[in-house]
Amino acid sequence: MVRYKVIRYCQHKAVKKRYADHYRLFEAIYDSLNEADRDATSTYAMIEKSIAKLPERCQAAVKLRLDENLSNGDIAKRMKISKKTVEIICSGLQHLRLLGNLHALGNIAI
C-alpha cells in the first residue's frame, strides 16, 4: 500500500512538473509578444509557422509533445521508434530556439 502511494506521488509530481513547464512556455511566449499579437490565434499561428520549418519527423514529434502533451516514451510508441530517437528528434525545440522565433523557450526544460 505504501509502495502505491509513493508511485502515485511520483506520478502526480511528474504531471505537476509538465504542467508547470507548459505554463512557463505559454507565459514566456505571451510576454514576448506585443499587444496586437497576444490573441490565441496569432500565437498559435506563430508556433505552427516555426514548427513548419523543422524536418518532417521532428515536426511530428514536436506536435505530439506540444499538442497532446505526450512523454518521450508515448511519442516513441506512437511513431514506432526508440525513446532515444525521440529525444534526438525533440531537439527540434532547440532548433526553434535557435531560429529566434520562440527565444523565450530557453528557460524551459523539455
Side-chain angles (χ1 to χ4, degrees):
M1 182 150 154
V2 173
R3 175 175 32 160
Y4 296 114
K5 284 185 178 184
V6 171
I7 291 170
R8 281 193 301 266
Y9 174 79
C10 292
Q11 289 172 340
H12 180 67
K13 192 173 182 178
V15 168
K16 284 174 60 174
K17 182 187 179 315
R18 277 196 312 245
Y19 175 79
D21 288 346
H22 285 197
Y23 180 80
R24 283 194 306 268
L25 168 68
F26 170 77
E27 186 178 47
I29 292 170
Y30 187 80
D31 289 343
S32 70
L33 299 174
N34 60 28
E35 290 295 324
D37 292 334
R38 285 191 176 180
D39 65 89
T41 55
S42 63
T43 302
Y44 190 76
M46 179 187 72
I47 293 170
E48 286 293 317
K49 183 178 176 183
S50 298
I51 291 173
K53 295 178 182 178
L54 299 172
E56 184 179 334
R57 302 274 291 180
C58 197
Q59 284 181 32
V62 169
K63 285 182 181 182
L64 288 172
R65 170 63 57 99
L66 297 177
D67 293 345
E68 298 183 30
N69 195 24
L70 296 179
S71 67
N72 285 351
D74 293 337
I75 294 170
K77 288 177 188 172
R78 177 106 33 113
M79 294 179 73
K80 296 182 174 99
I81 55 178
S82 74
K83 186 176 176 182
K84 186 67 176 175
T85 304
V86 172
E87 292 171 6
I88 293 168
I89 289 175
C90 279
S91 68
L93 292 170
Q94 293 172 348
H95 293 290
L96 291 177
R97 288 185 199 111
L98 293 174
L99 289 172
N101 293 325
L102 299 176
H103 61 83
L105 291 175
N107 297 334
I108 301 194
I110 298 177

Coordinates of all heavy atoms in Angstrom, one line a residue, residues 14 18 57 61-62 64-65 70-92 110:
A14 N 5.2 14.4 -11.4 CA 5.6 14.5 -12.8 C 4.6 15.3 -13.6 O 4.9 16.1 -14.5 CB 5.8 13.1 -13.5
R18 N 5.2 18.8 -15.6 CA 4.8 19.0 -17.0 C 3.9 20.2 -17.2 O 4.1 21.1 -18.1 CB 4.2 17.8 -17.7 CG 5.2 16.8 -18.1 CD 4.5 15.8 -19.1 NE 3.3 15.3 -18.6 CZ 3.1 14.0 -18.2 NH1 4.0 13.1 -18.3 NH2 1.9 13.6 -17.8
R57 N 9.9 14.5 -39.5 CA 9.8 13.7 -38.3 C 9.9 14.5 -37.1 O 9.2 14.2 -36.1 CB 10.9 12.6 -38.3 CG 10.9 11.7 -39.5 CD 10.0 10.6 -39.4 NE 10.5 9.6 -38.4 CZ 9.9 8.5 -38.1 NH1 8.8 8.2 -38.7 NH2 10.4 7.7 -37.2
A61 N 7.0 14.8 -34.0 CA 7.4 14.6 -32.6 C 7.1 15.9 -31.7 O 6.5 15.8 -30.7 CB 8.8 14.2 -32.4
V62 N 7.4 17.0 -32.2 CA 7.1 18.2 -31.5 C 5.6 18.5 -31.4 O 5.2 18.9 -30.3 CB 7.9 19.4 -32.2 CG1 7.4 20.8 -31.6 CG2 9.4 19.3 -32.1
L64 N 3.3 16.2 -31.3 CA 2.8 15.3 -30.3 C 3.1 15.8 -28.9 O 2.3 15.6 -28.0 CB 3.4 13.9 -30.5 CG 2.8 13.1 -31.7 CD1 3.6 11.8 -32.0 CD2 1.4 12.8 -31.6
R65 N 4.3 16.3 -28.7 CA 4.7 16.8 -27.4 C 3.9 18.0 -27.0 O 3.4 18.1 -25.9 CB 6.2 17.2 -27.5 CG 6.7 18.0 -26.3 CD 6.7 17.2 -25.0 NE 7.4 15.9 -25.2 CZ 8.6 15.7 -24.7 NH1 9.2 16.6 -24.1 NH2 9.2 14.6 -25.0
L70 N 2.4 14.4 -24.8 CA 2.9 13.1 -24.7 C 4.3 13.1 -24.2 O 5.1 14.0 -24.5 CB 2.8 12.3 -26.0 CG 1.4 12.1 -26.6 CD1 1.5 11.4 -27.9 CD2 0.5 11.3 -25.6
S71 N 4.7 12.0 -23.4 CA 6.0 11.9 -23.0 C 6.9 11.3 -24.1 O 6.3 10.8 -25.2 CB 6.1 10.9 -21.8 OG 5.7 9.6 -22.2
N72 N 8.2 11.3 -23.9 CA 9.1 10.7 -25.0 C 8.7 9.2 -25.2 O 8.7 8.8 -26.4 CB 10.5 10.8 -24.5 CG 11.1 12.2 -24.7 OD1 10.4 13.1 -25.2 ND2 12.3 12.4 -24.2
G73 N 8.4 8.5 -24.2 CA 8.0 7.1 -24.3 C 6.7 6.9 -25.1 O 6.6 6.0 -26.0
D74 N 5.7 7.8 -24.9 CA 4.5 7.7 -25.6 C 4.7 8.1 -27.1 O 4.1 7.5 -28.0 CB 3.4 8.6 -25.0 CG 3.0 8.1 -23.6 OD1 3.2 6.9 -23.3 OD2 2.5 8.9 -22.8
I75 N 5.5 9.1 -27.3 CA 5.8 9.6 -28.7 C 6.5 8.4 -29.4 O 6.2 8.1 -30.6 CB 6.6 10.8 -28.7 CG1 5.8 12.0 -28.1 CG2 7.1 11.2 -30.1 CD1 6.6 13.3 -27.9
A76 N 7.4 7.8 -28.7 CA 8.2 6.6 -29.3 C 7.2 5.5 -29.7 O 7.3 5.0 -30.9 CB 9.2 6.1 -28.4
K77 N 6.3 5.2 -28.9 CA 5.3 4.1 -29.2 C 4.5 4.5 -30.4 O 4.2 3.8 -31.3 CB 4.4 3.8 -28.0 CG 5.1 3.1 -26.9 CD 4.2 2.9 -25.7 CE 5.0 2.4 -24.5 NZ 4.2 2.3 -23.3
R78 N 4.0 5.8 -30.4 CA 3.1 6.3 -31.4 C 3.8 6.3 -32.8 O 3.2 6.0 -33.8 CB 2.6 7.6 -31.1 CG 1.7 8.3 -32.1 CD 0.2 8.4 -31.9 NE -0.4 8.5 -30.6 CZ -1.0 9.6 -30.1 NH1 -1.1 10.6 -30.9 NH2 -1.6 9.6 -28.9
M79 N 5.1 6.7 -32.8 CA 5.8 6.9 -34.0 C 6.6 5.6 -34.4 O 7.2 5.5 -35.4 CB 6.8 8.0 -33.9 CG 6.1 9.4 -33.8 SD 7.3 10.7 -33.7 CE 8.0 10.8 -35.3
K80 N 6.5 4.6 -33.5 CA 7.2 3.3 -33.7 C 8.7 3.4 -33.8 O 9.3 2.9 -34.8 CB 6.6 2.5 -34.8 CG 5.1 2.1 -34.6 CD 4.6 1.4 -35.8 CE 3.2 0.9 -35.4 NZ 2.1 1.6 -35.9
I81 N 9.3 4.2 -32.9 CA 10.7 4.4 -32.9 C 11.2 4.3 -31.5 O 10.4 4.2 -30.6 CB 11.1 5.8 -33.5 CG1 10.4 6.9 -32.8 CG2 10.9 5.8 -35.0 CD1 10.8 8.3 -33.3
S82 N 12.5 4.3 -31.2 CA 13.0 4.2 -29.9 C 12.9 5.5 -29.1 O 12.8 6.6 -29.7 CB 14.5 3.8 -29.9 OG 15.3 4.9 -30.3
K83 N 12.9 5.4 -27.8 CA 12.8 6.6 -26.9 C 14.0 7.5 -27.1 O 13.8 8.8 -27.2 CB 12.7 6.2 -25.5 CG 12.4 7.3 -24.5 CD 12.2 6.7 -23.1 CE 12.1 7.9 -22.1 NZ 12.0 7.4 -20.8
K84 N 15.1 7.0 -27.3 CA 16.4 7.8 -27.6 C 16.2 8.6 -28.9 O 16.6 9.7 -28.9 CB 17.6 6.9 -27.6 CG 18.9 7.6 -27.7 CD 19.1 8.4 -26.4 CE 20.5 9.0 -26.5 NZ 20.8 9.9 -25.4
T85 N 15.6 8.0 -29.9 CA 15.4 8.7 -31.1 C 14.5 9.8 -30.9 O 14.7 10.9 -31.5 CB 14.9 7.7 -32.2 OG1 15.8 6.6 -32.3 CG2 14.7 8.4 -33.5
V86 N 13.5 9.6 -30.1 CA 12.5 10.7 -29.8 C 13.3 11.9 -29.1 O 13.0 13.1 -29.5 CB 11.3 10.3 -29.0 CG1 10.5 11.4 -28.5 CG2 10.5 9.3 -29.7
E87 N 14.1 11.6 -28.2 CA 14.9 12.6 -27.5 C 15.7 13.4 -28.5 O 15.8 14.6 -28.4 CB 15.8 12.0 -26.5 CG 15.0 11.4 -25.3 CD 15.9 10.6 -24.4 OE1 17.2 10.6 -24.5 OE2 15.4 10.0 -23.4
I88 N 16.3 12.7 -29.5 CA 17.1 13.4 -30.5 C 16.2 14.2 -31.4 O 16.5 15.4 -31.7 CB 17.9 12.4 -31.3 CG1 19.0 11.8 -30.4 CG2 18.6 13.1 -32.5 CD1 19.7 10.6 -31.0
I89 N 15.1 13.6 -31.8 CA 14.1 14.3 -32.7 C 13.5 15.6 -32.0 O 13.4 16.6 -32.6 CB 13.0 13.4 -33.2 CG1 13.6 12.4 -34.2 CG2 11.9 14.2 -33.8 CD1 12.6 11.3 -34.6
C90 N 13.2 15.4 -30.7 CA 12.6 16.5 -30.0 C 13.6 17.7 -29.8 O 13.2 18.7 -29.2 CB 12.0 16.1 -28.7 SG 10.4 15.3 -28.9
S91 N 14.8 17.4 -30.2 CA 15.8 18.6 -30.1 C 15.3 19.6 -31.1 O 15.9 20.7 -31.2 CB 17.2 18.1 -30.4 OG 17.3 17.7 -31.8
G92 N 14.2 19.3 -31.9 CA 13.7 20.3 -32.8 C 13.2 21.6 -32.0 O 13.2 22.7 -32.6
I110 N 12.8 20.7 -21.6 CA 11.8 19.8 -22.4 C 12.5 18.5 -22.6 O 13.6 18.4 -22.8 CB 11.4 20.5 -23.7 CG1 10.7 21.8 -23.4 CG2 10.6 19.6 -24.5 CD1 10.2 22.5 -24.5

